[in-house]
Amino acid sequence: MDGVGPEPEEGEEREPGAVSEKNILDSFAESREVAELIGNLRGVFEELVTREMAVERFIGIMDKYQEQPHLLDRHLEGMMNSLLDIVRDSASPPPLVHLAFKFLYIITKVRGYKRFLPLFPHEVRDLQPVLDMLAKQNPRDPETWETRYMLLLWLSMICLIPFDLARFDGNLVSMEGQARQPTMDRILEIAKCYLVVSDKARDAAAVLVSKFIVRPDVRQSRMADFLDWVLSMLSKSSSQTMEGTVILNGMLQALAQLFKHGKREDCLPYAATVLECLDNCKLSESNQMVLRKLGMKLVQRLGLTFVKPKVAKWRYQRGCRSLAANLQAQGAAVQIQKREVASAEADDDEEYDIPGEIENVVEQLLVGLKDKDTIVRWSAAKGIGRITGRLPKELADDVIGSLLDCFSFQETDNAWHGGCLALAELGRRGLLLPSRISDVVPVMLKALTYDEKRGACSVGSNVRDAACYVCWAFARAYEPAELIPFINPISSALVIAAVFDRDVNCRRAASAAFQENVGRQGTFPHGIDILTAADYFAVGNRVNCYLTISVYIAGFPEYTQPMIDHLVNMKINHWDSVIRELSTKALHNITPRAPEYMANVVLPRLLPLSVGSDLHTRHGAILACAEITHALCKLAQENNSSVMYYFSEKSLEGLKQIHQELCSRQLYRGLGGELMRPAVCTLIEKLSLSKMPFRGDPIIGGWQWLINDSLRHLTLVSSAARQHIKESAVSALAALCNEFYINERGEADPALQDELVTQYVSELQNAEEMIRCGFSRALGALPRFLLKGKLQQVLEGLKTVTVISPEDVSFAESRRDALIAIAKVCQTVGVKGDGCQQEYVCRDNVDQIYATLLTGVTDYTTDSRGDVGGWVREAAMTSLMEVTLLLVQNEAELINANICKQIMCWLAQQSAEKIDKFRAHAGSVFLTLLHFDHPPVPHIPHREELERIFPRSEKETLNWNAASEAFPRITQLLGLPAYQYYVLLGLSVSVGGLTETTLRYSAQSLFDYMKKIQSDPSALESFCETLLKVFEDNLRNDRVSVPLLTMLDQMLANGCFDMFTEQENHPFPVKLFTLCKEEIKRSKDIRKLRSSIGVFCGLIQFQGDMREKVFFQLFLLLCHPFPVIRKTTASQVYEMLLTYGDVVDPAIVEQAMTILSDTNWEAELPVVRERRNCLCDLMKVPRPQLVPKSSA
């Protein structure tokens, strides 16, 4: 019913008109490759690897055709014959035969055995070889089940040969004088043997039984005995054991297949006995889904055996079903012309007694409709459809009556789902007469919105999906004239399901059903227009459905009111808060389509619900009141009417009462308060934006109390709700102040302003982080008239929040929110160079603002949550950009060159760091400032070179998140003196980091730059000076120094400083050695120590007095207290001697390397020290002396 192609996720956008091309194939393209694979089997079967590669490739090809298996049809016979040639060849060894059968099985799995069966060769000469092959099989061998499965299917085809099987027996006495088993018995033995195995061969054995037992010669002599055996096995086996389950499965499959393929007159004598035995098995009580499904299948087959196979004369026949004819007739009025139903009473000669067992069968099928598993319900629904089609009209009507009982609200969702499937099945077969449509449609409409809350989730999506299937089936089953009275409710219900259902599969099912009705019935109002807007792909995005498509459809008057009613009755009280919020926004968008109905009917209905007892309804109703009121007020303003045009006194009073009622009933407390607080804050915001005439009303004080209280108690709510409550309260505060705290002269009441600002600023020093967050954002949201005269107080308060002190080191979120608020305050008050610092951003306070923001860029705080300082850095970068662009657009001269240089350098450093998200943000801000044109940002260092490295055309396309794109660009800034230090500082963290991709691309970019400057001594000297300065400035700062040591190790190993190796006592390696030695002094950080070993080994290549000091340092580390450091040092010194052999006298190299490799450096320290001292003596390096510990 749904269209083809992959389903996009919730919220994922689709291109309009996009068509999935996932599996649209037009022919079996790999036929030649498959023929080659089959032809090569003889050459590949012996080697396990080649055999598995052949099988995997074949499976890969075949699986592509799972959804379009008919494309294989022309090639099936050729593939089968090639494989059977291998099987029939007596020279083929067993592994090759098994491989051929495996390939055959893979083909049947894709195309289905029913299509494959007739292609098997079924000549007399095949019978004996197949029987002999089956006799050689081991039924318990798990490796060769495909062989047994295919042989049984082949045998089921061969046994259809039209000759008496006794003619194949010849002389039953073999040459040894022993009696041979007749062929008939051999086949039966095989079937019985494989009906009780646990693999796929059991299914093939059931097919074999159904083909073999119905042969005339077998039926006469063996059918009764075989059924006795099956029934005795059924009665002896228990579904409580694994073995019993396997046997029951085989027996039920065999019976179901037998009663399906056998002639009615042959099976009828045994049907009652089988039904009785089946009843005794009590399969409906089994917990095995497959057994219950097979039980259903067998019950319906028995039911069909009891009644004559005739088509009911009374069934409804639609006749012509041409889509083209329907579409042509759409414009014309549908002729109300009821098709005469052929009366069943005329067929007196056809009347006959219905056996009593039918009642039992139908009863079991109706119970099966309520089963807990879908496949059992589906099987029962098909059974109901098949059997009802053979019953007289009155009995069929009774079945439909019983079926409608499934749809009471005492029944579970399973019964509703099964009932819908059965209704669709009856409709499809023409067994639901038009007289019954009036009973069925109300049930179907209820099923389309069925949603039951169960614990933390809901059930019912399968019911709604099946209800769409019923609508789809009815569209095909009935003449348009029959459904005319029900067109409006059905079309509205389908549109509502297609647009407002929570689940994507139900929305798509409803869309498909609507499309079917538009095409087949041609009577749905505005069908084609709606279909175009709400097609299969458009309804994949839930937000788009609620906020865009719904508004378009609500423009058609037939659908407006049903859509609004559905949202108010079913969706604003939904268990999922996302759906409640979307519904209220949808109501806001739909309000202009029916303003009078919203104001006079919907709003009065919502107001009592907004103070009701049910939490979800209350939440949805408050939000709906807020959204509808706002929409009505906007509409009134657009029409130049009074704001009060749509509201009665009662409605206004009701809106005011909401907060007071919730407050008096203490509904802001506890878990319910987490929903109520943001909902009422949204109400306050929308009522303020609506310019409600509440100025001076005591309710304003109540609202202000709620906002303050919500911000003050953020610590008491769950972390999930915290952000939402904070944002709602801050938005409400901004709207409330703008509307109700400003007087006619555009100023604030001084007392109120003083109280509000002072109170908020004092809360910034609260010991709770969340309270600081809330009031920082609140200050950021205050309008200009409240900040006027208080700007310095606010900025000072926010600045203190951004300062890191020992007691609030981990308060990263409050620092982030304070930095965001500073930028917001600056944007609110505006810029005036020579203005007063209490009112504007001006010369007196601009440096202080920048200083505060720039401190945020250096926040590298970490705690148990990770790099929490990253949030602060991100906010600082955004705020720097906003303030800078604000100044540039108003008074650019306030930006001095030093500050601009600092900003750009810090951004360059962040753009070279290791965390993708923050690197991308920094890169984006960097390019925004660089490429800003209205007017350009002044004093950017090296602007021309930057414009060349980062062309404007690539601003949008450069992906800063990808290390492969970002680092080759950012390392080019190393050549610009102003940026060199900062970029190198950022790169150190990336190149020496742990993330493989970041490390690889950053290191590669750095080495490329180093190669480029090898021929430029001054550039290299400058780079080395900067590198040493970075090291010196970050000595003992593990965040930088540890990765920096790793980076230095890589640079020394890559020969980045080869130019200095020829000079004796070059200052760079000497200074570097001193810094490394200082860095690891008394360190217990294993990562740092290991990185330093690599650096020391790299420094050995430089000539001069330092070489002996390096050896001394390495020999010190050879006796480090940590065994892992001793071992690492020994292995790296060994590698160093191999790499730089010329640094040691060749005569002693061999001996030194032997000591290094043969010593167990993880042994006790005295042993290790002795070996180390041997090395010292050998290399003429002074022995390190033990320093005695000073006594306390």
Side-chain angles (χ1 to χ4, degrees):
M1 198 168 95
D2 291 358
V4 292
E7 295 191 358
E9 293 296 316
E10 286 291 330
E12 181 182 318
E13 286 293 347
R14 271 276 193 189
E15 283 185 22
V19 176
S20 163
E21 294 180 11
K22 181 185 173 192
N23 274 323
I24 308 298
L25 305 166
D26 53 10
S27 66
F28 183 32
E30 294 91 348
S31 57
R32 190 167 295 167
E33 188 185 347
V34 165
E36 279 177 22
L37 271 173
I38 294 171
N40 294 337
L41 288 186
R42 284 186 170 86
V44 302
F45 81 94
E46 289 169 329
E47 287 289 326
L48 177 66
V49 175
T50 52
R51 184 167 74 238
E52 286 195 348
M53 282 173 65
V55 172
E56 285 302 313
R57 179 62 192 135
F58 192 64
I59 290 173
I61 292 170
M62 285 295 151
D63 281 354
K64 280 169 55 178
Y65 296 90
Q66 288 275 25
E67 291 183 18
Q68 293 171 276
H70 60 275
L71 297 175
L72 304 175
D73 286 355
R74 285 175 47 213
H75 306 271
L76 287 179
E77 199 161 356
M79 290 190 285
M80 174 186 269
N81 291 338
S82 305
L83 289 163
L84 287 182
D85 286 345
I86 295 173
V87 172
R88 285 166 156 166
D89 185 353
S90 55
S92 300
L96 177 56
V97 172
H98 291 316
L99 187 58
F101 276 125
K102 188 169 196 144
F103 272 47
L104 275 172
Y105 169 71
I106 292 163
I107 301 168
T108 56
K109 185 189 78 172
V110 174
R111 190 60 187 107
Y113 81 88
K114 291 178 187 174
R115 188 71 188 220
F116 209 64
L117 216 48
L119 301 177
F120 272 114
H122 39 275
E123 298 166 17
V124 173
R125 66 191 174 95
D126 293 314
L127 178 60
Q128 210 59 42
V130 170
L131 282 173
D132 292 342
M133 270 193 275
L134 271 167
K136 289 176 193 165
Q137 297 299 317
N138 172 8
R140 307 289 173 198
D141 183 355
E143 297 298 318
T144 58
W145 60 268
E146 291 102 337
T147 304
R148 302 193 294 277
Y149 176 72
M150 296 312 299
L151 281 171
L152 287 165
L153 284 181
W154 192 1
L155 182 57
S156 68
M157 203 60 212
I158 295 170
C159 73
L160 295 178
I161 51 176
F163 303 110
D164 192 330
L165 291 177
R167 294 169 62 181
F168 299 107
D169 296 335
N171 182 8
L172 282 177
V173 180
S174 65
M175 292 202 314
E176 289 82 11
Q178 294 174 334
R180 275 198 303 117
Q181 212 177 2
T183 306
M184 191 184 289
D185 291 346
R186 281 181 74 187
I187 295 174
L188 266 178
E189 281 302 312
I190 287 168
K192 286 180 178 179
C193 166
Y194 284 105
L195 278 176
V196 293
V197 297
S198 57
D199 57 32
K200 186 81 175 160
R202 184 180 54 203
D203 303 0
V207 175
L208 172 59
V209 165
S210 70
K211 306 276 188 192
F212 183 63
I213 297 287
V214 297
R215 283 175 55 96
D217 51 346
V218 182
R219 188 184 69 238
Q220 287 168 5
S221 57
R222 300 285 192 277
M223 185 170 182
D225 294 343
F226 178 76
L227 286 173
D228 280 344
W229 174 77
V230 170
L231 296 181
S232 70
M233 293 294 277
L234 271 180
S235 52
K236 282 191 292 189
S237 305
S238 159
S239 62
Q240 301 304 310
T241 65
M242 278 302 294
E243 193 182 349
T245 303
V246 168
I247 293 170
L248 283 171
N249 191 317
M251 300 307 125
L252 291 169
Q253 279 204 57
L255 287 171
Q257 291 276 16
L258 190 54
F259 278 89
K260 179 177 181 179
H261 295 295
K263 290 180 181 169
R264 178 174 178 258
E265 56 271 22
D266 298 338
C267 298
L268 191 55
Y270 308 105
T273 317
V274 174
L275 183 61
E276 188 183 337
C277 179
L278 191 61
D279 289 347
N280 294 335
C281 288
K282 295 190 167 51
L283 288 179
S284 58
E285 295 166 19
S286 165
N287 58 359
Q288 295 288 329
M289 170 183 74
V290 178
L291 294 185
R292 295 200 308 279
K293 185 225 173 181
L294 288 170
M296 257 329 111
K297 208 177 177 70
L298 180 53
V299 162
Q300 60 169 291
R301 288 292 160 206
L302 290 168
L304 291 171
T305 308
F306 287 125
V307 287
K308 286 182 182 175
K310 69 184 189 87
V311 176
K313 289 285 195 306
W314 52 267
R315 77 188 177 116
Y316 178 84
Q317 289 175 303
R318 179 171 174 183
C320 169
R321 295 195 185 190
S322 161
L323 259 181
N326 287 334
L327 291 169
Q328 283 165 7
Q330 265 188 15
V334 177
Q335 295 175 352
I336 311 293
Q337 177 188 337
K338 305 257 176 173
R339 187 174 292 276
E340 287 298 319
V341 178
S343 78
E345 288 77 9
D347 298 311
D348 290 333
D349 55 326
E350 286 291 326
E351 287 294 326
Y352 62 94
D353 288 335
I354 299 296
E357 288 88 352
I358 279 294
E359 193 173 335
N360 177 4
V361 168
V362 171
E363 179 64 32
Q364 288 194 44
L365 291 172
L366 287 168
V367 170
L369 289 176
K370 304 174 185 180
D371 192 274
K372 65 181 179 182
D373 286 297
T374 304
I375 62 166
V376 183
R377 298 197 291 271
W378 185 225
S379 186
K382 287 195 284 191
I384 292 277
R386 286 172 181 147
I387 288 174
T388 308
R390 296 189 185 181
L391 295 177
K393 187 177 177 183
E394 292 75 18
L395 286 179
D397 201 55
D398 289 346
V399 172
I400 292 164
S402 305
L403 178 60
L404 290 173
D405 293 340
C406 286
F407 298 99
S408 76
F409 279 97
Q410 285 82 39
E411 292 289 0
T412 64
D413 57 304
N414 295 334
W416 279 72
H417 182 240
C420 284
L421 293 177
L423 282 178
E425 201 60 31
L426 292 171
R428 231 165 47 82
R429 294 167 181 270
L431 303 173
L432 260 180
L433 296 178
S435 57
R436 271 289 189 183
I437 296 180
S438 55
D439 300 327
V440 171
V441 169
V443 163
M444 187 173 77
L445 297 179
K446 278 184 199 165
L448 276 169
T449 55
Y450 186 92
D451 196 6
E452 290 283 308
K453 183 94 165 61
R454 295 274 169 85
C457 59
S458 84
V459 294
S461 63
N462 58 343
V463 177
R464 301 195 299 277
D465 188 73
C468 294
Y469 174 44
V470 178
C471 296
W472 179 89
F474 280 14
R476 300 168 73 92
Y478 296 106
E479 285 285 347
E482 309 288 2
L483 290 177
I484 282 286
F486 311 102
I487 282 300
N488 282 341
I490 292 175
S491 59
S492 299
L494 281 175
V495 159
I496 285 164
V499 178
F500 294 139
D501 200 287
R502 180 176 179 271
D503 295 278
V504 65
N505 58 320
C506 296
R507 294 199 297 277
R508 287 181 162 164
S511 172
F514 190 88
Q515 180 177 342
E516 196 68 25
N517 274 281
V518 170
R520 303 274 176 192
Q521 296 286 315
T523 49
F524 273 25
H526 313 286
I528 297 290
D529 296 336
I530 290 171
L531 257 188
T532 313
D535 66 8
Y536 175 85
F537 294 113
V539 297
N541 184 331
R542 188 163 65 192
V543 175
N544 183 42
C545 282
Y546 270 84
L547 304 186
T548 311
I549 300 175
S550 65
V551 182
Y552 172 73
I553 297 174
F556 301 116
E558 294 88 343
Y559 299 103
T560 316
Q561 197 172 316
M563 288 173 82
I564 294 171
D565 289 344
H566 174 79
L567 288 172
V568 172
N569 297 332
M570 305 287 293
K571 287 294 187 282
I572 61 161
N573 55 6
H574 197 271
W575 59 271
D576 184 352
S577 62
V578 175
I579 295 293
R580 295 199 294 275
E581 286 166 21
L582 277 175
S583 305
T584 58
K585 288 174 184 167
L587 283 169
H588 173 278
N589 292 354
I590 293 173
T591 297
R593 306 286 191 202
E596 305 291 344
Y597 184 69
M598 286 289 197
N600 302 330
V601 179
V602 176
L603 201 57
R605 197 192 308 171
L606 287 172
L607 286 168
L609 297 177
S610 64
V611 290
S613 56
D614 180 68
L615 175 63
H616 289 160
T617 308
R618 196 163 66 237
H619 177 240
I622 292 170
L623 289 173
C625 288
E627 294 287 359
I628 291 171
T629 307
H630 188 210
L632 288 171
C633 288
K634 281 200 296 190
L635 207 60
Q637 284 169 356
E638 284 167 20
N639 299 337
N640 297 323
S641 308
S642 150
V643 172
M644 305 311 302
Y645 178 76
Y646 289 111
F647 299 99
S648 63
E649 277 299 319
K650 194 177 175 188
S651 293
L652 284 182
E653 202 53 41
L655 290 169
K656 270 198 280 187
Q657 285 296 321
I658 291 174
H659 164 69
Q660 294 162 348
E661 185 71 22
L662 297 183
C663 202
S664 64
R665 284 163 54 189
Q666 299 188 333
L667 293 174
Y668 289 129
R669 295 185 177 185
L671 287 172
E674 292 185 8
L675 284 176
M676 289 299 99
R677 284 175 185 274
V680 178
C681 284
T682 304
L683 179 72
I684 296 168
E685 180 192 359
K686 297 297 183 186
L687 292 179
S688 303
L689 292 173
S690 303
K691 306 190 182 308
M692 283 289 169
F694 295 158
R695 191 182 292 269
D697 196 292
I699 191 64
I700 303 299
W703 287 351
Q704 183 67 56
W705 169 85
L706 175 67
I707 292 168
N708 295 351
D709 192 63
S710 297
L711 293 173
R712 206 171 279 124
H713 290 100
L714 281 174
T715 41
L716 303 180
V717 300
S718 68
S719 52
R722 214 170 268 160
Q723 189 66 17
H724 185 41
I725 292 177
K726 179 173 73 179
E727 285 169 1
S728 304
V730 167
S731 302
L733 175 71
L736 183 76
C737 294
N738 270 321
E739 182 56 31
F740 298 115
Y741 289 168
I742 189 168
N743 61 24
E744 294 77 18
R745 297 190 305 280
E747 294 170 357
D749 170 21
L752 185 144
Q753 178 190 14
D754 196 50
E755 183 193 346
L756 194 69
V757 174
T758 310
Q759 179 191 356
Y760 280 17
V761 170
S762 68
E763 291 286 6
L764 295 179
Q765 291 310 302
N766 198 293
E768 289 287 353
E769 181 185 17
M770 280 304 126
I771 295 175
R772 292 188 186 189
C773 287
F775 285 100
S776 296
R777 294 297 285 273
L779 284 166
L782 290 179
R784 189 175 188 287
F785 65 86
L786 281 174
L787 291 168
K788 191 177 177 184
K790 300 281 183 185
L791 179 60
Q792 211 49 34
Q793 183 186 352
V794 169
L795 289 175
E796 284 295 334
L798 290 169
K799 181 185 175 182
T800 52
V801 181
T802 65
V803 176
I804 301 177
S805 59
E807 60 273 10
D808 56 20
V809 171
S810 64
F811 284 13
E813 289 177 76
S814 62
R815 296 199 288 277
R816 174 197 65 195
D817 285 351
L819 290 167
I820 292 170
I822 288 173
K824 292 275 176 283
V825 165
C826 293
Q827 287 172 317
T828 305
V829 296
V831 182
K832 192 171 183 184
D834 50 3
C836 163
Q837 65 173 2
Q838 286 290 5
E839 290 188 27
Y840 298 98
V841 175
C842 59
R843 277 189 185 79
D844 299 337
N845 60 16
V846 73
D847 289 346
Q848 174 208 343
I849 291 167
Y850 267 126
T852 308
L853 295 178
L854 283 165
T855 345
V857 191
T858 59
D859 191 328
Y860 284 95
T861 313
T862 54
D863 65 10
S864 58
R865 295 169 291 178
D867 180 11
V868 290
W871 303 333
V872 185
R873 299 197 299 278
E874 190 176 15
M877 290 187 277
T878 307
S879 297
L880 280 168
M881 176 181 75
E882 288 172 354
V883 171
T884 304
L885 295 181
L886 177 75
L887 291 169
V888 164
Q889 288 167 299
N890 294 285
E891 303 209 20
E893 62 274 9
L894 291 181
I895 303 174
N896 68 47
N898 184 38
I899 281 178
C900 190
K901 180 186 172 186
Q902 269 184 285
I903 293 171
M904 297 307 283
C905 288
W906 280 116
L907 287 171
Q909 180 196 324
Q910 296 297 326
S911 306
E913 290 211 349
K914 61 182 178 181
I915 299 176
D916 292 351
K917 178 187 170 191
F918 300 134
R919 184 174 67 241
H921 187 67
S924 161
V925 172
F926 186 86
L927 293 190
T928 303
L929 292 176
L930 175 64
H931 295 145
F932 191 75
D933 276 337
H934 313 289
V937 178
H939 313 303
I940 290 181
H942 306 291
R943 180 187 277 279
E944 291 76 21
E945 292 94 325
L946 290 176
E947 293 263 13
R948 196 181 64 252
I949 296 168
F950 301 104
R952 284 166 188 261
S953 57
E954 291 180 19
K955 182 188 174 188
E956 300 302 324
T957 54
L958 179 60
N959 179 8
W960 285 94
N961 267 313
S964 56
E965 289 188 43
F967 285 108
R969 301 296 180 91
I970 208 73
T971 43
Q972 293 179 46
L973 269 61
L974 288 168
L976 309 176
Y979 297 105
Q980 190 175 54
Y981 176 88
Y982 295 92
V983 172
L984 193 51
L985 179 56
L987 272 175
S988 307
V989 180
S990 298
V991 178
L994 298 172
T995 312
E996 206 272 329
T997 47
T998 308
L999 191 155
R1000 182 166 78 243
Y1001 291 111
S1002 57
Q1004 190 54 54
S1005 304
L1006 177 63
F1007 299 150
D1008 290 347
Y1009 173 75
M1010 294 305 291
K1011 261 191 214 130
K1012 212 162 63 182
I1013 62 168
Q1014 287 301 312
S1015 53
D1016 183 349
S1018 63
L1020 191 60
E1021 290 282 354
S1022 155
F1023 177 86
C1024 291
E1025 275 175 41
T1026 309
L1027 184 59
L1028 291 171
K1029 186 164 172 28
V1030 169
F1031 200 166
E1032 205 170 347
D1033 292 350
N1034 291 283
L1035 212 58
R1036 303 281 171 83
N1037 171 7
D1038 286 0
R1039 183 189 72 80
V1040 178
S1041 63
V1042 176
L1044 181 62
L1045 284 169
T1046 310
M1047 179 179 88
L1048 284 166
D1049 178 13
Q1050 291 183 50
M1051 291 178 83
L1052 287 163
N1054 269 277
C1056 293
F1057 308 112
D1058 282 357
M1059 188 189 278
F1060 305 145
T1061 53
E1062 282 122 43
Q1063 298 177 41
E1064 199 151 315
N1065 292 328
H1066 191 282
F1068 170 70
V1070 174
K1071 181 78 183 288
L1072 186 55
F1073 173 74
T1074 314
L1075 288 170
C1076 280
K1077 197 173 151 189
E1078 186 60 34
E1079 179 65 38
I1080 65 165
K1081 203 178 202 173
R1082 297 193 181 86
S1083 173
K1084 289 182 179 166
D1085 181 338
I1086 289 185
R1087 191 176 161 218
K1088 183 189 286 188
L1089 289 164
R1090 285 178 120 165
S1091 301
S1092 70
I1093 296 166
V1095 177
F1096 287 134
C1097 288
L1099 285 172
I1100 211 78
Q1101 60 190 297
F1102 297 100
Q1103 299 176 18
D1105 308 337
M1106 190 189 71
R1107 196 170 278 173
E1108 189 180 304
K1109 293 178 185 172
V1110 172
F1111 269 124
F1112 183 79
Q1113 193 64 38
L1114 285 167
F1115 291 160
L1116 261 180
L1117 287 166
L1118 272 177
C1119 284
H1120 194 277
F1122 295 167
V1124 67
I1125 297 300
R1126 301 202 290 272
K1127 191 177 175 185
T1128 306
T1129 308
S1131 78
Q1132 294 217 20
V1133 171
Y1134 185 89
E1135 286 173 22
M1136 174 193 82
L1137 292 176
L1138 277 175
T1139 313
Y1140 310 113
D1142 55 339
V1143 301
V1144 180
D1145 183 355
I1148 61 167
V1149 168
E1150 201 66 44
Q1151 205 178 339
M1153 288 172 75
T1154 307
I1155 294 173
L1156 284 165
S1157 60
D1158 291 356
T1159 306
N1160 175 14
W1161 294 102
E1162 290 176 314
E1164 295 298 316
L1165 267 175
V1167 180
V1168 171
R1169 196 170 286 120
E1170 190 185 321
R1171 304 297 290 153
R1172 191 271 315 270
N1173 289 345
C1174 290
L1175 268 177
C1176 292
D1177 298 344
L1178 193 65
M1179 295 195 175
K1180 301 185 176 55
V1181 174
R1183 291 183 178 189
Q1185 298 300 311
L1186 270 174
V1187 181
K1189 286 188 180 174
S1190 57
S1191 53

